[in-house]
Amino acid sequence: MCGVIGYAGHRPAVPLIMDGLRSLEYRGYDSAGIAFLQNRKLDVVRAEGKLANLSAMLVTRDVSHATIGIGHTRWATHGVPAVRNAHPHKSNDGTIAVIHNGIIENYQELKAMLLERGYVFYSETDTEVLTNLIAEGRKCNDSLPDALRWAVSQAAGAYALVVLSEEEPDALYGARLSSPLIMGVGTGENFVASDVPAFLPHTRNVVFLEDGEYFRITAHSWEVRRVCDNERVAKTVQTVQWDVQSAQKGGFKHFMLKEIFEQPKVLTDCLAGRLISPDLPVRLPELDNRPIPGRIRIVACGTSYNAGAWGAPLLEAWAGIPVSVEIASEFRYRDPLLQPDEAVMVISQSGETADTLASLRLARERGAMVIGICNVVGSSIAREADAVIFTQAGPEISVASTKAMCSQMALLVLLALYYGQKKGTLDVGVWREACDALRALPTLLEGVLPEMRNRAAELAKSYAQAKSFFFLGRGPCFPLALEGALKLKELSYIHAEGYASGEMKHGPIALIDPDFPTLAIALDDALFPKVKSNIEEVQARRGRVLAIVNPGRELRADDVWTVPAAWGPLSAFFVLPALQLFSYETADYLGKDVDQPRNLAKSVTVE
Ligand code: G6P
């Protein structure tokens, strides 16, 4: 996820773009850059790190005559955070500058084609490829918009891009596919950005671009056309009523809620370029030149640990690789016996968690290959792991992790499929079903989230006064129960324990009474009858039960919450948001600080 902004108007463009970037910084903050035209000449300034570094560089420049420009704040997906990878990227001839949010899945193929035609690349990004693709398109097309249309028709993946060119010094062009791009319509000035807050201080009149559309704006005009046939699209100007702060949260009350609702997009991004079709194997080029591990040790903390515990059985079942899962703060202070063919897989959203990083270092010292599953490009774990696979979930602002776990689980599914295919242990039928089901997930999830939230809110009110809670599950639902309990305690401060439901009778059941409710996850799988019996054991002690079930499964409980089923283990992608929403709504109902719970930190860089 990155933030883009473009301005064409009558005022000095650079300070206005910098202000816009400040309100987009939540979308990415590892580097930033700006391009503008003065005397018809294109200039680009870029800096690594937060926006303040870019501001400092601009202080020494006279940029006061620029009234058109584009700006970008980056969240790295291809290439480490560095000036060379920061946007805008310039075409080889220096006349075109492009900013981009998204992922071009076939950029390697396009880059190879451009290299053959003599182009030179100065970054590792997909965006520089796109920029030169437009330049190449210009050679065989009559105009810049035609070159843009040609270039985006070559590109597979997701993009929201904005183009500034010396050829048309009064205009900005841009296009979108699966990444947001919104125009702001002003008087004598027009804007475009990934999100409304970037231009909200200047105009509330907006035009939402749809997939497959491209735009042209100047100071005094704007128009939208279709990429496929160049037909003009009649768009309506809408007026937004948000204030800047709520706009940053996309109209959601909290970042956590926004991030829960981002999960369909997170799944799409995580699968992008990796799961292509049922006829092609999973692509994880990061691992192609590495040996297939004989065993895997997953090491992580918090929510990332729960994701690892959920994914481990899939690696065993599909790839035939024995997997154990450990808490990083334990692993690092043991004297772990690592087998020569054992890989250590560290999972971390931030890539900076001190215990996970120390475990990585210990594993490497002992000669183990370390595979990192990480969200933050350029983080310590991403830099130090032997191979790193990025979850591509975008910045997670809420302290309580939600969308990161969804992306980690999706990546673990891909890893199990990848190794299973490489080793030949994966049944073809399983592969086809998994592939179809994964591809269908984002749309299905998007469709059910609003109703799921309503049900969560209703249930939250009814359970919010509880002092303690059990979360029970078996098999793949046990790690989900751990995560459900973790979310409830960290957000609402209600004591909550996640348990393997079969363990209840070995002690914990002594706690059950009418005031100690249990949330039981009883999905439509082989373990359903067992979980059902465990629920009955709780009910026999007069315990109140809220059961999460799949359609068609009969169960007697105080409250039954039906969530959709998906193929095989993928139903977890519906249970996870249900648990997140239940905790969110409980905490919000109790008036807790949802985005910043007491005593917690987003990134724990101390022991
Ligand atoms: C902190 C966060 C959790 C997170 C854990 C591990 O405790 O509050 O949400 O799951 O660290 O973080 P990591 O960045 O390594 O995934």
Side-chain angles (χ1 to χ4, degrees), residues 263-265 267-268 271 275-276 278 431-448 564-567 570 573-574:
Q263 287 174 115
K265 174 80 169 72
L267 283 171
T268 305
L271 303 177
L275 189 78
I276 296 156
W431 157 239
R432 290 195 174 270
E433 294 222 58
C435 189
D436 289 346
L438 277 169
R439 282 143 63 96
L441 260 186
T443 312
L444 290 174
L445 184 56
E446 183 142 40
V448 301
W567 172 83
L570 303 189
F573 288 92
F574 296 111

Side-chain angles (χ1 to χ4, degrees), residues 152-174:
V152 297
S153 68
Q154 307 294 306
Y159 49 79
L161 62 104
V162 188
V163 183
L164 174 64
S165 168
E166 286 183 4
E167 182 183 344
E168 284 201 50
D170 301 326
L172 292 180
Y173 286 93

Side-chain angles (χ1 to χ4, degrees), residues 512-569:
I512 291 291
D513 68 23
D515 298 325
F516 196 136
T518 295
L519 186 153
I521 309 167
L523 300 190
D524 186 11
D525 58 22
L527 295 171
F528 179 80
K530 308 279 172 206
V531 185
K532 196 173 171 189
S533 306
N534 299 139
I535 290 174
E536 281 161 11
E537 286 156 14
V538 170
Q539 287 167 328
R541 275 87 191 163
R542 297 187 302 127
R544 192 175 168 204
V545 174
L546 159 57
I548 293 189
V549 300
N550 287 144
R553 277 297 190 175
E554 292 288 314
L555 197 78
R556 193 181 57 81
D558 297 276
D559 291 284
V560 174
W561 187 358
T562 308
V563 301
W567 172 83

Side-chain angles (χ1 to χ4, degrees), residues 301-304 347-351 353 356 399 401 408 601-602 604:
C301 298
T303 293
S304 296
I347 306 181
S348 174
Q349 186 284 129
S350 62
T353 302
T356 313
V399 167
S401 182
Q408 291 161 348
K602 181 72 192 151
V604 183

